[in-house]
Amino acid sequence: MNDATLERFHYDNKIVKYFGAATIIWGIVGMLVGVIAATQLFWPEANLGNPYTTFGRIRPLHTNAVIFAFVGNAIFAGVYYSMPRLLKTPMWNKGLSWFHFWGWQLIILAAAITLPLGLTTSKEYAELEWPIDIAIALVWVAFGANMIGTLIKRRERHMYVAIWFYLASFVTVAVLHIFNSLALPVNFLKSYSAYAGVQDALVQWWYGHNAVAFFLTTPFLGLMYYFLPKAANRPVYSYKLSIIHFWSLIFIYMWAGPHHLLYTALPEWAQVLGTVFSVMLIAPSWGGMVNGLLTLRGAWDKVRNEPVLKFMVVAVTAYGMSTFEGPMLSLKNVNAIAHYTDWIVAHVHIGGLGWNGFLTFGMLYWMWPRLFKTTIYSQKLANTHFWIGTLGIIFYALPMYVAALTQFLMLREFNEMGRLAYGNFLQTVVELVPMYMLRAFGGLLYLTGAIIMVYNMFMTAKKGSFQAYEEDQAPALAKNYNPAGEFWHRAWERKPVFFTVLATIAIAIGGAIEIIPTILVKSNVPTIASVKPYTPLELEGRDLYIANGCVGCHSQMIRPFRFETERYGEYSKAGEFVYDRPFLWGSKRTGPDLHRVGGKYPDSWHYFHMEDPRTMSPGSLMPPYPWMKENIMDYSELPAKIRTLQKLGVPYPEGYDQQAMADLESQADQIVTNLKDAGVEVLPNTEIVALIAYLQRLGTDINATASN
């Protein structure tokens, strides 16, 4: 083939450099916030004595920063580097690339501002309010349009396996984000979920589980399929295994969300479906791990000396460990032990620190020197980063497993009299403090390794010369190509739109079969006549509870185990949550479950507990909230909140938005009177009064009280 048949073009390395730099910067920020949050769990003074830096508010800041800022920017850097080279064409639209970059950074900045201010939906991994959700959708669609446009103008006939995963990730995240974020706005900064109670829980964990699948897993599998063979200088082990791996993974993953809700008020059939498909997930997940590790056949000698391969091998191994542990945690007998404990925290961080973090580091160490036409500044520093990071993962995860088993065994222990041996939940928490210290040390080690990488990347850039546009050439794609006897999947790989449609169908089936009946078939959520909508003051208190991130430490879901019903009261029923928008079942108990706390303590107990938890619960790790005694609530939006909830089906009487304020003041005055009787003077429009009203309502719709 002579030069006349070749078309010349260039790759845009500038957008890759910007996304790579954003990955590094936001990674440091997200990890630093994580270390602060970990420190707060054994040293409450680290909450810094103000509402903006309490654990409840910075935990979602940490998760959003590491998932969407660190990992998200890493995905985009990898896609913008690999996709043009795999398709032999520049990205379709340079303007869309830069709209994507700046739009994504502004979204992250908006999250960094709104979450500490308490502007949150409280939905895990989807905490951002509706204007930011719309911005995410627009930027994500721009990213997808740019990908599909690039596919259409490609010079390479067949789509490589990495691109299959990029496409599936784009389509699925769009579907998940749009359906989970459906809400009715009250104003620019507040909305109520379109779903309530059990339905909201199912949709949220359909999203939550599959956000992990299609934001933290499938795009990274695409990056693995590109960067691991490049770094090892070996072809992918098995093309046919990658086909089985891809289609089975994207189909099965979408059914597995209910395993986050085992033993809850979710209908049993949905729990069973989630468990069955979660166990099945181990096969395609390990198919990907095996394909990755066996790609290194004949190259294991390089792993000894090459830090890029070290990071990638541990990343793929961590992926295998997490995807074995996930199906095991979906078994009911294992889930009964692990759920609401630090086991889940360990599981998430094996995947986050090992799979996402280490694959990102390996990709950056391989890609960064090539962008600057040089070699890595210091192999020794890169190896040091690897070993410090590995130790960080070990020091993080192992204490969390010990903490989980310790706490579970203490919680379920009964004495010879048939009573709970540790009736106070706090007795278990204080035993975990040494493990929390070790966890924070592990996080600090991991952060230290990342800081070493920042220095290494900076010196590498300084040493080299940035190549903004990298020239290449390839023949144009011939038209009307349709060979006889072509392997069926090879034919699909020539048709990106058809391929995308098939992937969309594969991911839509599981969610539709689980969610639609749960919403439409009323028998899935039996109603309870005594369950009434929240009063105006309780509603405002609930919104305050949400704003302060209390759901990050306290569940509102008592499972049907004797050791839980003895401790907290009657197990939770589906019909109790029909007015909960959003649901607040929680996923981790750093403090006790609160679903039956209503009426358990006098108003004054809650007042003093919020002022300084250690006065009422010696040894408590909860931060104090003294400002709630003085902060004045803004009730100006109360009528709008009532009207919004009426539109969503909450049966407030017609015209109640005009009566709500009078009812709120009446209930507030009663709480103020109760506090005055206990020697406490407080204004009726303070935050503490609204929060007490909400806490005293919890679990009182049915006649069930704890025996302990």
Side-chain angles (χ1 to χ4, degrees), residues 450-465:
I451 292 170
I452 291 170
M453 182 190 72
V454 172
Y455 175 75
N456 211 355
M457 295 288 102
F458 176 77
M459 295 306 292
T460 299
K462 191 175 177 183
K463 170 185 169 186
S465 172

Side-chain angles (χ1 to χ4, degrees), residues 27-29 31-33 35 388 442-452:
I28 296 296
V29 172
M31 293 173 207
L32 177 61
V33 175
V35 170
I388 289 177
L444 185 62
L445 284 177
Y446 197 87
L447 173 61
T448 302
I451 292 170
I452 291 170

Side-chain angles (χ1 to χ4, degrees), residues 376-393:
I376 192 72
Y377 169 72
S378 172
Q379 289 261 24
K380 188 174 181 181
L381 282 178
N383 277 311
T384 302
H385 174 197
F386 169 78
W387 289 112
I388 289 177
T390 302
L391 281 173
I393 296 171

Side-chain angles (χ1 to χ4, degrees), residues 23 30 84 91 169 213 392 395 397 409 474 512 525 552 574 686 704:
T23 302
M91 291 302 291
S169 301
F395 272 101
L409 291 171
V525 186
T686 49

Side-chain angles (χ1 to χ4, degrees), residues 459-475:
M459 295 306 292
T460 299
K462 191 175 177 183
K463 170 185 169 186
S465 172
F466 179 63
Q467 185 178 16
Y469 298 103
E470 188 177 328
E471 299 295 329
D472 201 355
Q473 56 187 12

Side-chain angles (χ1 to χ4, degrees), residues 61 133 146 160 170:
L61 179 63
D133 281 339
N146 211 2
Y160 177 63
F170 160 66

Side-chain angles (χ1 to χ4, degrees), residues 223-297:
L223 298 178
M224 178 197 80
Y225 273 117
Y226 180 81
F227 288 101
L228 182 58
K230 283 284 189 182
N233 198 25
R234 292 286 188 279
V236 169
Y237 171 68
S238 172
Y239 165 67
K240 289 188 176 178
L241 180 56
S242 67
I243 295 171
I244 298 168
H245 167 216
F246 172 76
W247 289 106
S248 56
L249 190 78
I250 69 167
F251 174 73
I252 294 172
Y253 240 128
M254 297 296 287
W255 297 74
H259 77 222
H260 291 264
L261 300 168
L262 300 183
Y263 290 114
T264 67
L266 188 72
E268 184 68 20
W269 65 265
Q271 296 185 40
V272 170
L273 268 182
T275 298
V276 169
F277 279 89
S278 298
V279 172
M280 289 166 62
L281 255 181
I282 194 168
S285 298
W286 274 38
M289 178 192 68
V290 167
N291 221 5
L293 291 178
L294 291 184
T295 296
L296 291 169
R297 69 201 186 287

Side-chain angles (χ1 to χ4, degrees), residues 365-381:
Y365 278 123
W366 186 88
M367 190 170 64
W368 204 251
R370 284 165 174 78
L371 296 179
F372 289 88
K373 295 193 298 184
T374 186
T375 55
I376 192 72
Y377 169 72
S378 172
Q379 289 261 24
K380 188 174 181 181
L381 282 178

